[in-house]
Structure formats: C-alpha cells, structure tokens
C-alpha cells in the first residue's frame, strides 16, 4: 500500500472505532474492553464487496479525518480488518473554500467501439480532463500520441464533447455515475441535438437533467419556471434592460443571465429535457455551499436564487443610506407605508414586485413594558409545523432467561424525556420493574455506553443499537458483563517478534450470578451455557491454560463490586471474557443463530400519520414567543438587553406567496424530518392587518421532498400557465397530474398566485390528460401520485 505523508490528504476512520481507540489510550491495557482491535471501517461501507461508501456520511458523527502520518501509525500498530482499503481522501482547494473530498467523482470509462467493456474510476474534482484522458488511453491501450476525443454521456439521450481538456472535473460539471467514452478523431459520435431539433411540445413542459444529486435545484427551478409573472418577464427579455452590473451585492448579472437561458430553453417547446449545466456552475461559483454534487435543501437554493436575481436586476444603482425610525405611537398605516417606501428606495426589482410582502413585528419589554413596532419586508413565509411531543424508539429487550432470544420492541416516549421514561414504557410491555433494567448502547461487540436513568433521550440517536438488559432484584447475586473474544497471532512491525492478541465478536451479555458460584470453574461453565456452547464437548471442558479450545479471563474480582459499581458510567467497566480458539469458534459458535431476535407485537403496529391544517401552521407562526438568550433585544428605555416577547403579523401580502414548511428540525443531539401531512388548500384565503379585503390565492406549484435527513429525493408539481394542466416533474421525466394527488406528506415549498393577478390559460387543457393518445412524447400519465412519488426516493444516486 502506497501512502503519502503530506498535508494534501486525510484518511477516514469510523468514528466509534476512533473513540474506542482514544479510550484505550487512556487505559493502556490490551486485555481491557476498550482495546479497539484492528481498524474497522465496516460501518462506513454500503457493501463489503465493492467497498462503496454509504451516501451522505457526516464528519464527526460517522467518521473522523486524520492526517496521513497518524494513519500510518495506526495502521502499523493495529492493522485493518479483512483487507479493507485505506480511505485516503485529497484536501482540495475549491473556490472560496478548502475541504476534504470525502466523495470523489466516480465515472464509468469505456471505448466508443466497445461500450460493453466499462471500467469504473475515481477522480478528484480538481483533476483535469487531461488526466482522465491519459488514464483512459492507458487503460484501453490507445497508442500514445493518437488524436482522440472524449465524450460525456449525462443521460440516456444526451452526449456532450469534452473539448477543453485543460479544465478540471468540477468546472466541467462531471458528476458520479456519468459515462465518458473515448473515440478516434473521426466524427461518428452523435448526441441528441438532431432529435431535439425536430421535437415540438407544450412550452414549459420540460424536464431537467439530474447532474448528480441536483434534484433539489431542479425542483426549485420547476416551481419558479411555473410562476407566470417571473417567467413572462424573462421570456419577454425585459431583464436585459434592468441588468445591474455594478451592484456590489449582486453577481454582475451572471446569475440572471444563466437563469434566463434555462427558462428560455424550457419554454421554447423544442426540448423534452434541458441540461442546466451552466446554471449549476454559476450557482457554485457565487455560492460555495452549492459546489460539487452533494444533496442540498431546495429552500436554501431558492432563497439564494431569489436574492441573487433581485440584486442582479435591482433598478436602484446607488443605494442611499436611510435612517430607520421607530413607530413612537404613530398609526400602523403610516409607519407601514414609510417602511415599504424606504424598502423600495433601496430595493426595486421584479423580485420585489412579485414576491415581497411586509411583516409587522411587535416587541414588548418584560420590565418596563416598552412596545417597539417595526415593519419588515419578507420574500417567503417559513412556517413551523406543530411538533409531536412524542418519539418512537426501537430497543432490544434481553431477559434473564439464558435461552431466550432478544425481543425487539417499539416504544413511544417523550421527545424531551429521560432514559427512565424509556424503561417505564418498556416495563408496561414486559412487567419487569424499571429498577431491574440496564440500558446500553452496543457497538463493535462491546458496551459502548451504559446510560443512567436521568440521562436525556436526545443523547440516543435513532440508528444506535440500544439493548435493555434485565438484572435480578436486589439479592445475593452479582451482575457481570460477558464478552466473547477470538485469539489471534500477529507480528509486531517494530520488534519483529510474534505476539498474541484478541478481538471481540458476537453480542456482549449481562448475567446474574449467585455469589456462591463466583469461583473460576463455576463461572466458566455458567458462561459457556449462557453463550450456547456445550460444556461436555471434547475440548469444551478445559480451562484453556493447557491449550484447550477456550480460555477464561476474569479482569477483576467481581465479588467485591456492587451492581452500581459494575455499570458505573464514565469509568472503566470491568468485564469477564471467554477467549476462543479460532478453529473451535468455527465448530461450536453459530453466528447466524446468535444474531437472531424475536419481534414483539408492538413492531407490527403501523405508525399513525398526523395531519394538520396549513392555517394551524400560519397561526403558530404568528404566536407570541419569548426571545432566546442568544438573541436578546436592546430596550432603549431600560438601556440593556432584554428577553422581550415578540409577535409577527402579516401586514401586506405579495402577488406570489411562497410558504416554506419547516420540516427539518435540529437540536444539539438530534436531527429529524417531520413527515406529518400538512393539508394545504388549492385555493387559499388569507387575511392580513392592512385593512384590505382577504387575499385569495390559487396554488401553482409545490416542491416535494421524499426520504429522510441524509438521503432523499426532490420533485415538484406545477400548473402550466398556458393550458392550466398540472404536471409532475421528476428531474428529466414529466407526467400528467391531478389536483387530488398534490397534497402529500412530502410537500415542502408551496407557491400561491393571487387570483386578481392570474391570467386565464390561452390554450385548452389536454382533452384527456390521463389517457390521451396524442400527449407529447415526454409526458406520461401520472395516475398514482403517492405510489409513484414514493418510488422516487431511491432513484437518485451519486
């Protein structure tokens, strides 16, 4: 294995192995339970055949990054499990940021003349196309110096030539999963240009190619594309007269021009799918968080895009300084008009015309009761969802019965609860006293952590393997931890001498042992019985000191430890281990049988889907709240910062109202997505405080998110402005949709158009959108919205 001792690379190490190693460094005892054994990155791999990394691993949660020199030392000291590859990653210098490239770009390489012979290769985003060309020429035995051409296949029908071999992978918008083929310089490679030139379809009914985890961008673009006033502004080229090239807050007009190019292609009626490559490159150039091809949030992209378009198209060339005034008892109408006028003096664009409204913000000092009223502009509403106070957790219950399998239970516990609450819920199902339960996080065949009853449940992640063990009621018995270890021999790379080590396997156990049976011989037979090993086998009865199949290690005199001391959190946990000879382990230990468990009937109870009304979310948004300690308000009367009460109200509403449903919740210990159904109307009536009649809106687009926090897929529903037909956009695929399919638990961004501004469709809707034989070639029937949408979750790969 070739290792580079430079600062230009880092190595991935599974976080819990690394934490176990740190604990071992403190104890320094190879026979202790904290001995990490060989470096084991199994938890980072999707499968052990190809050693592909799992999608969307998080640094310091799933893995840690260590320098090359530290990696070499760890490798020399401990070795690696099962010949796993070293996870070396480059430190790359990207525009405005330096980062470790955890996920290199994985590309399929082949010859144009033999596209069945595909080779997979990984490249850094800072590698040049010339590097790929050299690798391919060597791989496919192309004569050195021969003139060749590289072609990039980004979809089933679209190929592009990589003309400039001196740009890097990032600037070429290459992403994982793409195919590059090499061909002689003769031009027999074709793309889909001719095919698309002959295509004629409904303007706006156009897919967007996924460039590699860019479904979040495609979803936001489809929603904006189907926002009539903005799209007509670009289609009529009105933006050309308003490009602001000198705005220091803008992007020199480049974002507006790139967006205009995408919109004009989508509404030309000549494309069934558009490749938004230039737009993606521009976004990454001006917003480094969107560089590369990791999954992102469609709302964050939308926020950046609306702000970027506004500054690129701001009609105000020189922003004047405006001193803000407090209301000081003046009428709300007067203060609101002044605030809106001041906002338009500095911000005047098609984005403000279309999307901006006005909040009324009221702050009240808790001490002097000073009331401060301000009016602030907004571009979208981010409304909270009523959060359930409960959490569903799954645990394995291990009884005192030595032959009983662990039982998996599904529990409903308070989100803000303690470990005691988990034990109480389990006690109701098992009739076992809470005082007899020991809650443990089991990882890497050992007790990774023992939890106290008063610890917060937020410390336990959904992916943790939580085992609840039963200990006997207070009596003349001792609770012992039992680990299974396999003996192994290795050669010390430093001294060259041969040494003996052990590695853990199987599930750890907690056993109740009568004090009278705490002799070495009695414990040995009890543990073999609990582990399911016959004690009357040919070699099983030996004590291990004379070369028998098993050896028995008692790390401490347990007869002098109480239950509390044995399971004390934060100290080195004593344990008893049975060391196995490798051959006898194969003969006597049935790994499949040892891993089996039983499902409790609670696992069969379906999860109840919660439904809330959109109006509830809006009311929650306007509820009085107390400012957080990190964000106090300075009271001009008290002359100090105060935790004031704050209330937001809607004063005036825009032509196009965007509502962001805040489905993603983050705390110090947990992150979750709220999958509750928000029942939003297709025709919305909403009131505000500006003494105007209620505003009436029609729904025109929805951005959907399917899946969880670390994976998932974005799609969108949108109503075509010309024919009034609803469509479902899933990257480059477009299907008809019906209104009754649109409300799902995946809805994330809602776009509403005020009815008094809506222009009636100029074209009749398709005669029968569910079965019309004359429907465009790129549009298919979307009869089962929920089923179809659910299948989209795993459609995208990186």
């Amino acid at each position: 294995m070739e290792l580079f001792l430079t600062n230009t690379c880092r190595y991935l190490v599974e976080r819990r192995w690394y934490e176990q190693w740190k604990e071992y460094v403190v104890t320094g005892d190879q026979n202790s339970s904290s001995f990490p054994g060989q470096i084991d990155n199994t938890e980072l791999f999707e499968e052990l055949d190809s050693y592909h990394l799992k999608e969307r691993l998080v640094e310091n949660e799933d893995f840690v990054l260590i320098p090359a020199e530290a990696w070499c030392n760890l490798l020399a000291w401990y070795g690696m499990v099962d010949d796993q590859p070293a996870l070396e990653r480059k430190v790359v210098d990207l525009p405005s940021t330096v980062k470790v490239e955890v996920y290199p770009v994985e590309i399929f390489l082949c010859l144009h003349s033999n596209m069945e012979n595909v080779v997979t290769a990984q490249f850094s985003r800072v590698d040049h196309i010339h590097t790929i060309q050299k690798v391919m020429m060597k791989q496919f035995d192309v004569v050195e110096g021969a003139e060749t051409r590289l072609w990039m296949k980004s979809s089933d029908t679209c190929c592009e030539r990589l003309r400039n071999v001196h740009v890097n992978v990032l600037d070429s918008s290459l992403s994982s999963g793409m195919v590059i083929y090499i061909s002689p310089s003769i031009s027999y490679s074709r793309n889909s240009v001719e095919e698309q030139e002959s295509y004629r379809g409904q303007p706006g009914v156009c897919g967007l190619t996924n460039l590699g985890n860019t479904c979040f961008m495609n979803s936001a673009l489809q929603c904006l594309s189907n926002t009539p006033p903005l799209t007509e502004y670009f289609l009529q080229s009105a933006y050309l007269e308003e490009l602001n090239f000198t705005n220091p807050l803008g992007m020199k007009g480049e974002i507006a021009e790139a967006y205009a190019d995408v919109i004009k292609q989508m509404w030309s009626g000549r494309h069934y799918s558009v490749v938004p490559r230039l737009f993606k490159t521009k976004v990454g150039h001006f917003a480094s968080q969107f560089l590369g091809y990791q999954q992102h949030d469609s709302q964050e992209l939308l926020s950046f895009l609306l702000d970027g378009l506004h500054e690129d198209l701001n009609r105000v060339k020189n922003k004047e300084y405006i001193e803000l005034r407090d209301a000081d008892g003046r009428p709300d109408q007067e203060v609101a008009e002044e605030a809106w006028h001041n906002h338009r003096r500095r911000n005047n664009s098609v984005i403000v015309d279309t999307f901006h409204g006005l909040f009324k913000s009221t702050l009240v000092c808790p001490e002097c009761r000073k009331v401060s009223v301000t009016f602030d502009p907004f571009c979208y509403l981010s409304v909270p969802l009523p959060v359930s106070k409960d959490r569903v957790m799954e645990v394995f219950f291990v009884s005192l019965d030595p032959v009983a399998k662990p039982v998996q239970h599904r529990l409903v516990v308070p989100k803000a609860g303690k470990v005691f609450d988990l034990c109480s819920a389990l006690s109701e199902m098992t009739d076992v006293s809470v005082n007899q339960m020991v809650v443990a996080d089991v990882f890497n065949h050992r007790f990774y952590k023992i939890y106290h009853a008063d610890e917060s449940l937020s410390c336990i992640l959904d992916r943790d393997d939580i085992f609840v063990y039963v200990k006997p009621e207070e009596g003349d018995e001792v609770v012992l931890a039992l680990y299974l270890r396999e003996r192994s021999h290795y050669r010390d790379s430093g001294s060259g001498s041969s040494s003996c080590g052990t590695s853990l396997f199987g599930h750890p156990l907690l056993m109740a042992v009568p004090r009278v049976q705490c002799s070495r011989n009695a414990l040995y037979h009890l543990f073999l019985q609990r582990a399911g090993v016959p004690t009357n086998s040919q070699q099983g009865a030996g004590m291990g000191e004379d070369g028998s199949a098993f050896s028995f290690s008692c790390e401490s005199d347990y007869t002098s430890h109480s239950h509390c001391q044995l399971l004390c959190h934060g100290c080195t946990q004593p344990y008893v281990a049975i060391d196995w000879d490798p051959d006898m382990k194969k003969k006597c230990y049935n790994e499949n049988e040892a891993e089996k468990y039983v499902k409790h009937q609670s696992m069969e109870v379906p999860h109840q889907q919660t439904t809330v009304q959109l109006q509830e979310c809006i009311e929650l948004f306007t509820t009085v709240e107390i400012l957080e300690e990190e964000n106090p308000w300075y009271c001009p009367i008290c002359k100090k910062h105060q935790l004031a009460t704050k209330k937001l109200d809607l004063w005036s509403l825009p032509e196009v109202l965007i509502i962001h449903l805040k489905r993603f919740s983050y705390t110090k210990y947990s992150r979750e997505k709220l999958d509750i159904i928000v029942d939003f109307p297709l025709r919305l009536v909403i009131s505000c405080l500006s003494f105007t009649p209620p505003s009436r809106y029609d729904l025109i687009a929805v951005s959907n998110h399917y899946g969880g926090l670390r994976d998932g897929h974005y799609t969108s529903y949108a109503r075509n402005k010309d024919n009034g037909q609803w469509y479902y956009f899933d990257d480059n695929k477009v299907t008809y949709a019906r209104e009754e399919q649109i409300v799902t638990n995946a809805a994330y961004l809602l776009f509403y158009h005020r009815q008094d501004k809506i222009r009636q469709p100029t074209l009749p809707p398709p005669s029968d959108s569910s079965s019309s034989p004359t429907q465009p070639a790129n549009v298919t029937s979307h009869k089962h919205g929920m089923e179809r949408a659910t299948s989209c979750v795993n459609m995208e790969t990186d």
Side-chain angles (χ1 to χ4, degrees), residues 448-481:
Y448 183 74
K449 183 176 181 180
I450 305 292
Y451 290 97
H452 284 303
D454 60 352
E455 285 192 78
S456 173
L457 287 176
S458 61
C459 298
I460 302 177
L461 303 179
D462 289 337
R463 60 196 178 94
D464 291 341
D465 290 327
I466 301 301
F467 284 72
V468 181
Y469 296 85
V470 179
K471 64 180 181 180
E473 298 182 76
E474 295 298 328
D476 197 24
E477 291 181 308
V478 178
V479 177
L480 302 180

Side-chain angles (χ1 to χ4, degrees), residues 415-427:
K415 267 186 185 174
K418 306 289 186 181
V419 172
F420 177 84
D421 297 303
L422 182 151
C423 294
S424 297
L426 187 59
S427 176

Side-chain angles (χ1 to χ4, degrees), residues 23 55 68 163 218 235 337 358 475 603 624 635-636 641 711 728:
E23 181 183 336
E55 296 287 338
R163 299 178 181 275
N218 294 346
L235 292 180
E337 289 178 358
L358 209 59
M603 296 295 297
V624 176
C635 176
H641 288 91
D711 55 14
Y728 181 72

